[in-house]
Amino acid sequence: MRISSSMEITDFCLEGRLLNFVIKDGYKLKGLLLATSEGQYYIKLAKHLRVAFDLRLPHGAWLQVVGRKKYDAKKDELTLKAEWVMATSADMVLKPKPEAAKKQTILFCKKSDCMKSGGKAVCQMLEKEVSDRGLENKVNIKGTGCMKNCKAGPNLVMPDKTRYSGIQAGQVPAVIDKHLGKNVETEVPQFVKV
């Protein structure tokens, strides 16, 4: 009796331009579409790449992709899976985009004890101050559950993890100035990380 394998697995290395990202379920990165001199390829990303991949990588960027390819002779189907991806051109420096910058988050307790102690006015003042400074695209204000300091409410946590208890609406502008000032610090990568 003869046993034959219909699956052939080999290594591959491709270089080409990024056409697009392949996203499943509306948010899960699964792979890349790459245009090479030999044609267009769908390349599935290994799990460790999906987590760390920088989606700000511009379309048309030159990439080198190394991985494993599987050829199923029964189905006449070729599957490419990337284990390593690298930008191959010096023009890969990203220009900072306002929408690409990570938003900083201010947390405030929205439970009843804090709200009864002036939390609603603090929240309204936070929204006003962020808006007046034009920081809406850089700062989120998020209500949370209990921060375990009910008797000292209202409670607030700034983006740098500084906690405030017993804060009043009139103190909010000074707190915003202290922690956010006029320029919100954002992390902008100098080179693409893939």
Side-chain angles (χ1 to χ4, degrees):
M1 188 170 175
R2 185 173 171 211
I3 300 174
S4 67
S5 174
S6 65
M7 188 73 69
E8 183 181 330
I9 300 174
T10 57
D11 293 331
F12 76 89
C13 179
L14 289 174
E15 190 169 312
R17 288 195 178 269
L18 173 66
L19 293 177
N20 212 341
F21 297 105
V22 177
I23 309 289
K24 300 282 177 158
D25 300 329
Y27 67 97
K28 293 180 187 174
L29 175 65
K30 291 293 183 181
L32 307 171
L33 288 177
L34 195 69
T36 70
S37 58
E38 300 167 3
Q40 182 176 323
Y41 293 95
Y42 165 68
I43 303 169
K44 184 177 179 180
L45 293 173
K47 286 184 182 179
H48 70 275
L49 290 176
R50 293 181 213 165
V51 175
F53 210 86
D54 191 343
L55 293 173
R56 296 173 295 177
L57 191 66
H59 294 273
W62 279 99
L63 300 178
Q64 184 178 37
V65 182
V66 177
R68 310 279 279 166
K69 67 179 172 181
K70 293 180 186 178
Y71 178 70
D72 187 341
K74 285 184 181 176
K75 296 180 183 177
D76 191 30
E77 187 175 89
L78 181 67
T79 305
L80 301 173
K81 186 173 184 178
E83 295 293 332
W84 182 77
V85 178
M86 185 180 93
T88 60
S89 177
D91 65 353
M92 298 316 311
V93 177
L94 289 177
K95 307 281 189 283
K97 296 179 184 176
E99 66 274 7
K102 183 178 176 184
K103 282 187 166 186
Q104 295 189 34
T105 303
I106 299 173
L107 303 174
F108 73 94
C109 179
K110 63 177 186 175
K111 297 305 271 184
S112 60
D113 283 349
C114 283
M115 291 309 237
K116 288 176 188 174
S117 302
K120 185 173 182 179
V122 169
C123 179
Q124 290 171 342
M125 184 61 82
L126 278 170
E127 290 172 349
K128 177 188 178 308
E129 291 298 316
V130 166
S131 176
D132 289 352
R133 288 171 169 78
L135 300 174
E136 300 95 332
N137 293 329
K138 297 178 181 177
V139 178
N140 276 334
I141 300 171
K142 182 178 177 184
T144 68
C146 184
M147 292 184 178
K148 308 294 183 208
N149 200 7
C150 303
K151 295 191 187 309
N155 293 292
L156 183 70
V157 179
M158 297 305 287
D160 64 359
K161 309 295 184 227
T162 302
R163 294 178 169 265
Y164 289 93
S165 294
I167 190 165
Q168 297 303 311
Q171 297 170 308
V172 169
V175 170
I176 295 284
D177 285 340
K178 179 179 178 182
H179 293 277
L180 301 175
K182 293 184 180 183
N183 296 320
V184 177
E185 292 179 19
T186 57
E187 295 178 18
V188 179
Q190 295 301 311
F191 298 96
V192 174
K193 295 178 185 174
V194 280

